[in-house]
Amino acid sequence: MSKIAWIEDDYRAISSLVRSLELDGHNILCYRTCQDVEEHLEEICRCDAVILDIILPPATDDLYQGVSVLRKLREECKYNGPVIVCSVVRNPTVLHALREMGISDILHKPVRPSRLHDAVTEALAGSTPETSQ
Amino acid sequence: MPVTYYVLSAERRQLQEEAVKRAVTSIQGPVGFYERWPGEEPCLTITEEARAAWRPFCKLVGEDEARNRMCLQDYEHRAAACTRPQVNLCWAGVHNAACPVKDERGGSVTLIGGAFRLREEKADAEGRLRQFLKDQNIPPEQVAAFHDAWLEIPEVSEAIVRNQILRELELAGRGYLYSLRQLSQFRYSADLVIHDLVVLLQSLISSIEVLEIELKRTFDIGKKWEARFEEIMQTCERYYAYLEARLGSLGEPEYAYQPLAQLIYECVDLYRAKAEKRGIDIRVDLQKVEYDDGQVRVPHLRVARAYLNRALHNAIDNAVKYSFDGTVHQSRWIEIVGQFETRQGMPGYTIRISNLGIGIDEDELDRVFERGYQGRRRLGEFRPGFGMGLTFIKECVEMHGGTVSISSQPQRRTSWLTTLSIWLPIRGPTDRAEG
């Protein structure tokens, strides 16, 4: 059974997606804000994969907090596991910044559970993180 | 550029061009734009506007390719070395003012230019010129031409440089950084709106598919039910596509030949019901063209689909929004007419969108394309908007190398026929417009 950390501010949006992954046998741990992430960094870094939203509270000068969260996971915590971005954001500059830090996949909301299932399966199968050239 | 500033490369170029244009106009001389951000290669940009403002002396120097390269390297080196507002002398004896402006995120922008002769340092400049002529082995018969061109460069005093030129360069640099921050914030705000709108849609789509999966497992539902579920999910996804067309980030423009008729009809279909509720009929008449292979159809245009899609949405939404309602006694219509049209030797297609409604005052016809501007007639009525729709249409059309205009003619005492005309070249933008 895989443990997956899901960093997402609005649980309403993903409750069915979480349920679909749980039906697949995964254990999902949810974190709502950047503060939650800070307080549970060790726990997140022990997960087999991370699903990450880009727009997270609280809003600061850094705007897209998901980028800062991923930087923290990769650079400070040395987390090497697969990270799947699941967000409405399509700004190529933002996505480029995320690719630079290594991500497995980008899922644009609204995403179907079947698509999520495929992305998670592939990520856990050990494909190397996608980085920009 | 630090990850704080989430602007597209095309937008960044546009902001650079605007900053340079402002500076060139204010100081009446060429201006280079040097940008440095952590984690990025510093870059000197010379825009077309700046090139057009080069002094005849600088053009003469730059006629030789090797000298041209040296000029740019020298320019870049002086911009890179500039840590405070200053005047420096180029390798050929021309003074420039340079003003760096720091950004709070660690980057900096230096506008360097002016191309003048500083009165108080005339002797130094003349000495540098003589050295340049000697080092470059300028033939004796050309020396006079170089010298005369150099003398034509405007002479200014230190006071003018300090109080006007440096000040204008600083303002242009600050304006650029401010626009970067504002645009980045705007992009983020737009994403926030989409983010909130999508929450329920995401919940709906995922719930529907999970329900389908659970029913398949429990009751082994057949293909007929699978097809129905699929139809519901596709309807939700189409609604999302509509939201995205109006609000989402469009990304970098990718140009490809697209069927214009399909784009227009898809857009019209989304507004037809809304228009019909108000008694407004939307009529479409697109001229077809005969091709060499015998096909007769509306041309395919080389466009950035997502951008043109949004421009069409904005145009048709405006036409519906500002139309008067139709009644039993008075029908109303919106007319979309397409016509093949060559302009300045370039084959293109004109799309005219007309509606009968509140109209625009004549003195505002040029202003309605300005960002945030809202016509005075519109302000007296409750019609939602931010004054951004026409701005986007203009930017999108010009990005494609096209042109846009608007007219508003009185028809009766209280109604006006307003027509938005968009001309797009069939082959899309030139290299310059495409960037």
Side-chain angles (χ1 to χ4, degrees), chain B residues 176-391:
Chain B
Y176 170 77
L177 291 173
Y178 176 77
S179 296
L180 268 187
R181 283 194 292 276
Q182 290 299 107
L183 188 55
S184 199
Q185 183 67 50
F186 175 75
R187 292 248 163 270
Y188 177 69
S189 299
D191 277 339
L192 272 184
V193 171
I194 289 260
H195 177 263
D196 292 345
L197 288 171
V198 164
V199 162
L200 293 175
L201 206 53
Q202 173 67 76
S203 175
L204 193 58
I205 287 176
S206 42
S207 296
I208 290 168
E209 197 174 72
V210 167
L211 176 63
E212 185 193 356
I213 293 167
E214 286 177 336
L215 285 175
K216 267 191 211 171
R217 284 185 190 173
T218 313
F219 298 108
D220 191 22
I221 59 173
K223 291 223 178 301
K224 186 176 80 170
W225 285 103
E226 281 180 32
R228 288 192 179 171
F229 276 112
E230 179 63 27
E231 198 185 310
I232 295 169
M233 284 192 288
Q234 281 188 12
T235 303
C236 294
E237 284 164 352
R238 264 203 301 278
Y239 177 63
Y240 172 72
Y242 165 73
L243 283 181
E244 228 208 344
R246 297 312 311 278
L247 299 172
S249 171
L250 295 174
E252 295 285 356
E254 290 173 11
Y255 296 90
Y257 280 96
Q258 303 285 347
L260 179 64
Q262 183 191 43
L263 283 173
I264 291 175
Y265 278 109
E266 272 175 5
C267 201
V268 165
D269 284 346
L270 285 169
Y271 289 92
R272 214 181 271 285
K274 185 175 166 183
E276 278 171 3
K277 265 192 210 163
R278 292 178 47 206
I280 303 168
D281 183 32
I282 303 183
R283 302 170 190 169
V284 182
D285 179 14
L286 304 175
Q287 181 188 11
K288 293 182 182 167
V289 171
E290 188 172 353
Y291 286 82
D292 292 340
D293 59 2
Q295 271 192 62
V296 177
R297 56 172 167 78
V298 176
H300 289 197
L301 267 59
R302 188 167 155 265
V303 296
R305 188 186 178 112
Y307 282 75
L308 184 62
N309 197 29
R310 182 173 293 178
L312 290 171
H313 269 273
N314 287 356
I316 297 172
D317 183 58
N318 273 357
V320 172
K321 194 160 50 176
Y322 298 119
S323 279
F324 289 137
D325 288 359
T327 63
V328 173
H329 309 290
Q330 180 79 62
S331 60
R332 298 288 185 203
W333 40 260
I334 289 166
E335 197 171 59
I336 301 171
V337 172
Q339 203 172 6
F340 182 81
E341 199 177 322
T342 299
R343 290 193 187 179
Q344 292 177 336
M346 216 182 305
Y349 204 81
T350 302
I351 306 159
R352 288 189 180 88
I353 302 167
S354 305
N355 73 290
L356 208 58
I358 67 172
I360 304 169
D361 286 335
E362 198 176 329
D363 63 321
E364 292 189 302
L365 287 174
D366 286 333
R367 297 211 58 196
V368 289
F369 292 106
E370 287 173 22
R371 197 163 286 177
Y373 190 85
Q374 299 182 60
R376 63 177 76 90
R377 292 190 198 180
R378 178 226 163 277
L379 289 173
E381 312 198 1
F382 180 66
R383 295 186 202 244
F386 298 102
M388 302 294 285
L390 282 173
T391 307

Side-chain angles (χ1 to χ4, degrees), chain A residues 105-118:
Chain A
D105 206 341
I106 296 176
L107 303 177
H108 293 296
K109 285 178 186 165
V111 63
R112 295 193 187 193
S114 49
R115 174 74 183 94
L116 176 65
H117 163 87
D118 292 343

Side-chain angles (χ1 to χ4, degrees), chain A residues 57-97:
Chain A
T60 67
D61 284 347
D62 282 341
L63 299 180
Y64 298 95
Q65 293 280 54
V67 177
S68 312
V69 164
L70 183 56
R71 185 175 296 113
K72 195 178 272 288
L73 287 176
R74 290 292 193 221
E75 292 173 11
E76 282 181 34
C77 308
K78 310 292 181 205
Y79 178 71
N80 282 328
V83 174
I84 299 168
V85 168
C86 183
S87 178
V88 297
V89 175
R90 292 180 190 242
N91 185 316
T93 314
V94 177
L95 299 180
H96 176 73

